[in-house]
């Protein structure tokens, strides 16, 4: 079976996903086109070599709807001959887009593709596309639907993570992200966002709060306690997990992922496609997997899918040099490290979504690129990238540096 190689990757900086965020004036389409255009320009890429563009988008409605991948490819100058497809597996959409495109290359059906994702959370808004999972009792009741923050608190309660634990993790994420930016770890992979006049709107992740401390986090009130009580979701959580007597609400805005705008893309291809384009591979996609997990705990999918993927790849957790585990909430990553006994220094060494934000459909592609840059920076070989997913799922990918 042919290998699928990573030839390059680019992401935008993440802008605060609010009306006063630096990227609020940038449409979802314009955002998605930025990394596609950058990959074409900096690799002197002939669009005729590209077989497909696959982009994840979690709320593909309004300006982000109607197959944003095809529209972005046209805006980015790939011409009428390059098709596009939008996919949605909630928070793992950007990583699944890469896995989908890689599978096509591994199957020999395509030679080169661009994959990643985009999300304009300040303009389209989280949850804009709706869904039966939250609204239709036929699925909400048997799946124990509850907001993700309550599931995050349920995980913290079930696995013994205190408010001090989650706050300490959040403070460390901010510290690592600030250090990574200061030392230029992201420099080669960021494409600034410019307006129509060529003026820079944003060239740095806007959500970071490097001054964050345990003291400042300690002053924040839990975000999901009232929702659990007034909405009845705390009772739902205990019904799903009766071994829990009460929910300890430990998550708040400072130890949860930030809402941001952003886009990312990865250039993938076979060995032959890379040679035709005059490109040198940076890594190869070794293996990937998806799994369903407990929909009430909802966010423990990274543990389950990592077990599945390691077995599939014939590897152990000790074979992985770097882990990128999306920081949807602090308890998600703490549970991952607890389950596998992983050295915390190997997990999200450049910070994560708590510090820099989670641009839903784009994040999977962003953290894969971060993992690759970290392998190259440190001279290490293998990375595992994984994300938790709404409704209880997990996606993971293993890459090897070439």
């Amino acid at each position: 079976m042919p290998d699928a190689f990573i030839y390059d990757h680019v992401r935008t900086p993440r802008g605060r996903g609010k009306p006063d965020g630096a990227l609020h004036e940038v449409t979802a389409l314009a955002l998605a086109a930025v990394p596609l255009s950058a990959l074409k320009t900096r690799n002197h890429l002939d669009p005729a070599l590209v077989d497909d563009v696959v982009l994840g988008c979690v709320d593909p409605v309004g300006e982000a709807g109607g197959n944003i991948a095809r529209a972005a490819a046209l805006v980015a100058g790939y011409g009428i001959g390059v098709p596009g497809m939008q996919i949605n597996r909630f928070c793992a959409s950007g990583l699944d887009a890469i896995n989908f495109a890689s599978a096509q290359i591994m199957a020999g059906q395509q030679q080169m593709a661009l994959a990643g994702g985009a999300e304009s959370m300040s303009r389209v808004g989280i949850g804009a596309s709706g869904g039966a999972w939250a609204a239709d009792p036929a699925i909400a009741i048997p799946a124990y639907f509850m907001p993700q923050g309550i599931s995050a608190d349920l995980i913290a309660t079930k696995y013994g993570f205190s408010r001090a634990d989650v706050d300490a993790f959040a403070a460390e994420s901010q510290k690592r992200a600030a250090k990574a930016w200061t030392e230029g770890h992201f420099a080669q992979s960021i494409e600034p966002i410019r307006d129509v006049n060529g003026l820079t709107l944003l060239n740095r992740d806007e959500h970071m709060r490097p001054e964050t401390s345990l003291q400042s986090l300690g002053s924040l009130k839990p975000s999901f306690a009232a929702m659990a009580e007034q909405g009845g979701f705390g009772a739902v959580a205990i019904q799903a997990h009766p071994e829990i007597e009460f929910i300890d609400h430990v998550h708040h805005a400072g130890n949860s992922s930030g809402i941001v705008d952003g886009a990312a893309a990865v250039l993938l291809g076979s060995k032959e496609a890379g040679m035709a384009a005059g490109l040198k591979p940076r890594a190869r996609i070794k293996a990937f997997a998806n799994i369903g997990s407990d929909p009430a705990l909802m966010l423990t999918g990274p543990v389950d899918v990592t077990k599945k993927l390691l077995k599939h790849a014939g590897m152990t957790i000790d074979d992985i040099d770097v882990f990128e585990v999306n920081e949807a909430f602090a308890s998600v990553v703490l549970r991952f490290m607890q389950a596998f006994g992983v050295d915390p220094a190997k997990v999200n060494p450049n910070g994560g979504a708590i510090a820099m934000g989670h641009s839903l459909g784009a994040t999977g592609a962003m953290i894969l690129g971060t993992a690759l840059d970290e392998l190259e920076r440190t001279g290490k070989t293998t990375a595992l990238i994984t994300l938790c997913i709404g409704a209880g799922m997990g996606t993971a990918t293993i890459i090897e540096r070439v």
Side-chain angles (χ1 to χ4, degrees):
M1 185 172 65
D3 283 321
F5 291 100
I6 300 171
Y7 287 97
D8 199 8
H9 73 91
V10 173
R11 75 168 175 91
T12 70
R14 300 169 173 103
R16 283 197 310 273
K18 297 180 179 180
D20 63 349
L23 301 183
H24 180 61
E25 70 180 67
V26 182
T27 67
L29 174 59
L31 198 65
V34 168
L36 300 182
S37 179
L39 286 173
K40 178 167 64 73
T41 299
R42 72 190 220 165
N43 290 286
H44 308 287
L45 186 62
D46 180 358
L49 298 174
V50 177
D51 293 308
D52 206 356
V53 174
V54 186
L55 295 182
C57 184
V58 174
D59 282 297
V61 296
E63 68 179 43
N67 190 354
I68 195 171
R70 169 61 169 170
L74 289 170
V75 169
Y78 281 82
I80 63 173
V82 178
M85 180 176 69
Q86 175 269 321
I87 66 172
N88 182 7
R89 200 192 296 271
F90 295 155
C91 295
S93 299
L95 186 60
D96 247 332
I98 294 168
N99 295 342
F100 184 93
S102 297
Q104 294 272 37
I105 293 166
M106 291 173 174
Q109 300 306 300
Q110 294 183 358
Q111 292 298 311
M112 181 170 282
L114 297 161
E119 208 80 42
S120 178
M121 300 181 74
S122 71
R123 294 176 63 89
V124 179
I126 187 170
S129 56
W133 176 46
D136 189 336
I139 183 60
I141 293 173
Y144 298 101
F145 169 76
M146 65 190 86
Q148 287 190 354
I150 296 172
S151 290
D153 285 340
L154 177 60
I155 292 170
T157 305
K158 181 177 176 65
Y159 293 104
F161 305 124
S162 67
R163 171 67 183 263
D165 293 330
V166 293
D167 280 357
F169 180 85
E172 180 65 16
S173 179
Q174 294 281 0
K175 178 182 176 182
R176 291 183 182 188
K179 182 175 184 291
W181 267 103
T182 298
E183 296 181 355
H185 295 183
F186 304 122
Q188 69 171 342
S189 303
I190 298 290
E191 181 67 18
I193 301 291
R194 298 178 174 87
D195 65 13
V196 294
N197 297 311
L199 300 176
T200 298
L201 294 174
L202 189 65
N203 60 9
R204 183 180 178 86
D205 291 327
E206 190 180 20
H207 184 267
M208 295 188 299
R209 296 180 177 87
E211 72 284 357
T212 297
S213 66
L214 289 175
Q215 289 73 25
S216 65
L217 292 173
S219 68
L220 299 177
K221 294 181 179 181
S223 296
F224 306 103
M227 189 183 298
E229 182 178 350
Q230 296 169 11
F233 293 113
V236 174
I238 292 171
Q239 183 181 24
H241 284 269
E243 72 277 13
I244 302 298
E245 294 183 8
F246 65 92
I247 306 299
D248 186 11
H249 294 286
V250 298
H251 287 92
H252 50 73
N255 56 33
S256 307
S257 56
I259 294 173
V260 293
D261 303 332
V266 177
L267 176 58
L268 300 155
S270 65
K271 179 180 179 180
E272 292 74 18
M275 292 175 64
L279 300 175
K280 181 180 179 180
R282 295 173 60 181
R284 76 179 182 100
I285 304 290
K286 181 175 176 64
F288 47 83
N290 297 292
I291 202 168
S293 61
D294 183 336
L297 285 174
M298 195 187 310
L299 310 172
T300 54
V303 174
D304 301 321
V305 76
T306 295
K307 292 176 180 177
K308 178 180 180 179
L309 180 57
L310 291 173
K311 182 178 180 180
H312 169 63
M315 301 172 71
T316 71
I317 203 75
D318 294 331
D319 294 323
I320 307 299
D321 299 311
V322 174
F323 296 88
E324 281 290 331
V325 184
N326 187 40
E327 295 175 0
F329 299 88
S331 64
V332 173
V333 188
L334 289 172
R335 173 55 189 154
F336 183 91
M337 293 189 292
Q338 180 191 65
F340 295 107
V342 177
D343 180 357
K346 297 171 65 174
V347 181
N348 303 353
N350 296 290
I354 289 174
M356 293 177 284
H358 176 22
S359 49
L360 299 189
T363 299
M366 287 184 172
I367 63 176
L368 181 140
T370 298
L372 174 54
D373 288 348
E374 180 67 10
L375 290 179
E376 292 176 337
R377 186 182 72 84
T378 60
K380 295 177 180 177
T381 303
T382 306
L384 185 147
I385 302 94
T386 184
L387 301 93
C388 59
I389 307 172
M393 294 183 283
T395 295
T397 303
I398 295 173
I399 64 172
E400 288 184 338
R401 187 169 63 92
V402 177

